[in-house]
Amino acid sequence: MAAIEDKLIAFPAFFKVEGEKVAIFGNGDEAFAKLRLLSNSRADIIVYADAPEADLVKFAAKEGYELIRAKFDASQLEDAAMVFAGTGDELLDQQIVTAAREFKIPANAVDQPDWCDFYTPALVNRAPLSIAIGTEGAGPVLGQIVRARIDQMLSPSLGPLARLAQQYRKAVDHMVPRGVTRRVFWRRFFTGDIADKVAMGNISDARRIATRILREREEAQGHVWLVGAGPGAEDLLTLRAQRVMMEADVILYDALVPMAVVNMGRRDAERISVGKRKGCHSKSQDQINDLLVELASSGKRIVRLKSGDPLIYGRAGEEMAALRDAGISYEIVPGITSAFAAAADFDLPLTLRGVSSSLVFTTGHDLTGAALPDWARLAISGATIAVYMGRTVAATVANKLMEAGLDGSVSVAVVENAGRADKKLMHGILQNLPALEDRTDLAGPVMVIIGEAVAGATFDHSTPLLEFSNNKLKATIGA
């Protein structure tokens, strides 16, 4: 459940004002700012000002807005759909808001959040497309900074493109089935040739292409994206991953992917947990393969969301084989693997000139058998070893490597929940590593990095593994 401070005080919504009376009260800059903002709408704006400044008078006249030179009177609120009090006099603004509330009219007192029934956002206007940025009155300047950045990102042609889409909406509703097929049509409409023609000002060609696509009525084709969610922090998700999550009809996600990342997908997308954790598998890999094929065969576009990178211990090979056998198209969207996030947490160079020039990804379970894996010899020759899912086999990993000839004084870095705000960092040497198996306080995924390059890490925010081992020994002796 989201913390109370993460929930909005004001719910964002768009209020219909076309043809509605909107009353603005004030003579100077405060009223003028609201008038300029509302001039983006089709509201019937009336300004009430007993001593209006010249700029306000000039703008109202130029835009054709009615300006009534009079002091505030409650009768002026009659039939208003919305009221703005920007007189610069706090008490008068509060009087106006109080009167508006008696008439059940939503009102806004400029720079007085406690006297606002609604807040005016910073606005990016690409009519009929609009983007409103609100701060609940906490930081209007911040809203303006964000607005400026978004304004630079969005092409002016988005407005004409959206207006063209309005012309086709009724035909699309009549001719194109709801669901995936209709979403595919609109994706084609808003991207590619149509958008390019509108951007060049060639509306007639854009309309011809749109009409042709509508007549073709292309059936929706299923598609799967195998997406790396990274280590779990929302801001470590790639831009491509964010884009395809907004296109997906269904999101299949693993247990290690936080819901905050899953919820970055399209709001109406179906979400299916297919998480597999030790001793608790909600679905077998074969069941997941079958589900991907079944959903894609029905025309759904699916994001298979995996922790880290899908091609590193993500079982992506089996899923790709199943999709190929079924003739279903798919795409890999790489993610930041936990080893890289763990190294970043420690400022740890995974390769270090003159020390380590190679890197091995492995799981601790590779060392549980009788035979020593080939990569163990690389560790002895100086490679950096990144061990995934290493907590429960830490003792086996350490003992096998030391038996193979790796010095017990080689540096070790350990991270629980790498790359996330709740990460836990530990460090030590190889011979301290077995203590990790006794760490019942570690419930999240654990990454272990072993090698001479680890000595170059920063341990300022890390706890020594030896400290836990010594505390355990003291507790045992005391018992």
Side-chain angles (χ1 to χ4, degrees):
M1 182 179 294
I4 189 68
E5 61 268 19
D6 294 329
K7 294 189 176 183
L8 294 170
I9 295 172
F11 183 78
F14 289 92
F15 195 87
K16 288 185 177 180
V17 294
E18 183 176 15
E20 299 287 346
K21 174 183 173 181
V22 175
I24 301 175
F25 293 87
N27 295 310
D29 291 342
E30 294 90 346
F32 191 16
K34 297 305 179 188
L35 179 59
R36 286 197 303 269
L37 180 65
L38 282 161
S39 69
N40 288 282
S41 75
R42 300 182 187 181
D44 288 340
I45 303 170
I46 301 178
V47 181
Y48 295 93
D50 59 338
E53 294 181 0
D55 287 344
L56 178 61
V57 174
K58 183 177 179 181
F59 185 85
K62 177 184 175 184
E63 299 297 327
Y65 298 128
E66 185 176 1
L67 192 154
I68 298 177
R69 297 173 184 261
K71 291 184 177 181
F72 169 68
D73 184 274
S75 63
Q76 295 160 344
L77 301 173
E78 187 176 350
D79 297 327
M82 189 182 293
V83 170
F84 290 88
T87 66
D89 181 333
E90 289 189 1
L91 293 179
L92 179 55
D93 285 349
Q94 292 171 17
Q95 181 186 347
I96 294 169
V97 170
T98 300
R101 287 173 175 172
E102 290 177 359
F103 284 102
K104 307 297 183 186
I105 302 169
N108 174 287
V110 177
D111 291 336
Q112 296 189 69
D114 292 341
W115 287 85
C116 291
D117 299 320
F118 61 91
Y119 301 106
T120 52
L123 185 65
V124 178
N125 184 2
R126 300 288 188 273
L129 173 69
S130 63
I131 299 173
I133 302 102
T135 63
E136 297 180 348
V141 173
L142 174 60
Q144 291 295 336
I145 291 170
V146 174
R147 184 204 66 79
R149 292 180 182 177
I150 294 175
D151 202 26
Q152 291 174 348
M153 292 167 55
L154 300 182
S155 168
S157 67
L158 288 178
L161 181 62
R163 289 195 291 275
L164 183 62
Q166 285 180 321
Q167 298 171 22
Y168 280 84
R169 184 159 297 280
K170 287 184 179 179
V172 171
D173 289 347
H174 178 70
M175 298 173 62
V176 182
R178 287 181 178 273
V180 180
T181 301
R182 190 174 293 180
R183 280 196 292 272
V184 169
F185 170 83
W186 286 120
R187 282 193 200 103
R188 293 185 67 188
F189 189 100
F190 289 119
T191 59
D193 290 343
I194 297 174
D196 290 344
K197 294 296 184 184
V198 172
M200 291 186 291
N202 196 338
I203 303 298
S204 58
D205 278 359
R207 188 176 285 109
R208 273 194 292 273
I209 296 169
T211 301
R212 175 173 54 78
I213 292 175
L214 180 61
R215 288 171 178 166
E216 288 174 356
R217 296 202 312 191
E218 178 181 316
E219 291 297 319
Q221 298 296 313
H223 184 75
V224 176
W225 291 280
L226 304 177
V227 177
E234 299 99 300
D235 57 355
L236 287 180
L237 200 68
T238 67
L239 291 175
R240 183 181 298 179
Q242 288 180 298
R243 177 178 60 78
V244 301
M245 285 178 67
M246 290 303 296
E247 293 187 28
D249 305 301
V250 185
I251 300 173
L252 272 61
Y253 61 95
D254 281 346
L256 293 178
V257 179
M259 283 307 300
V261 173
V262 177
N263 289 335
M264 293 174 75
R266 211 177 73 223
R267 185 173 57 184
D268 59 340
E270 183 180 2
R271 290 155 169 77
I272 302 175
S273 172
V274 292
K276 299 190 294 297
R277 279 190 167 177
K278 186 175 180 181
C280 182
H281 290 194
S282 64
K283 288 188 183 294
S284 69
Q285 187 59 52
D286 285 342
Q287 288 175 317
I288 294 172
N289 296 345
D290 291 343
L291 183 58
L292 286 171
V293 170
E294 177 188 342
L295 290 169
S297 297
S298 68
K300 298 289 180 69
R301 296 164 72 82
I302 305 142
V303 159
R304 172 71 175 97
L305 196 58
K306 299 167 175 286
S307 178
D309 182 274
L311 301 179
I312 299 178
Y313 304 115
R315 308 288 288 270
E318 297 168 55
E319 294 172 359
M320 288 188 288
L323 295 170
R324 280 195 297 267
D325 290 345
I328 292 167
S329 64
Y330 65 86
E331 179 183 343
I332 305 294
V333 179
I336 296 174
T337 188
S338 297
F340 297 155
D345 289 336
F346 271 106
D347 300 342
L348 192 165
L350 290 169
T351 60
L352 190 60
R353 187 169 58 177
V355 177
S356 177
S357 60
S358 55
L359 174 64
V360 174
F361 292 163
T362 186
T363 69
H365 301 280
D366 289 346
L367 282 170
T368 56
L372 195 68
D374 290 340
W375 63 255
R377 296 178 179 83
L378 291 173
I380 298 167
S381 65
T384 303
I385 308 299
V387 184
Y388 291 70
M389 302 166 282
R391 186 184 72 81
T392 58
V393 291
T396 303
V397 169
N399 292 332
K400 283 284 185 71
L401 287 176
M402 286 188 290
E403 287 171 7
L406 189 60
D407 196 307
S409 64
V410 167
S411 298
V412 172
V414 179
V415 188
E416 178 197 27
N417 295 327
R420 293 167 54 173
D422 59 347
K423 60 182 176 285
K424 187 176 292 185
L425 279 60
M426 296 147 278
H427 69 274
I429 57 177
L430 187 59
Q431 64 188 29
N432 303 147
L433 193 57
L436 196 63
E437 287 193 25
D438 298 316
R439 295 291 296 265
T440 54
D441 59 316
L442 303 178
V446 172
M447 171 65 61
V448 179
I449 303 178
I450 304 167
E452 297 290 352
V454 178
T458 300
F459 300 124
D460 294 347
H461 305 291
S462 177
T463 303
L465 283 167
L466 188 59
E467 181 179 300
F468 180 84
S469 183
N470 289 339
N471 290 340
K472 183 173 181 291
L473 179 61
K474 289 175 184 178
T476 303
I477 294 172

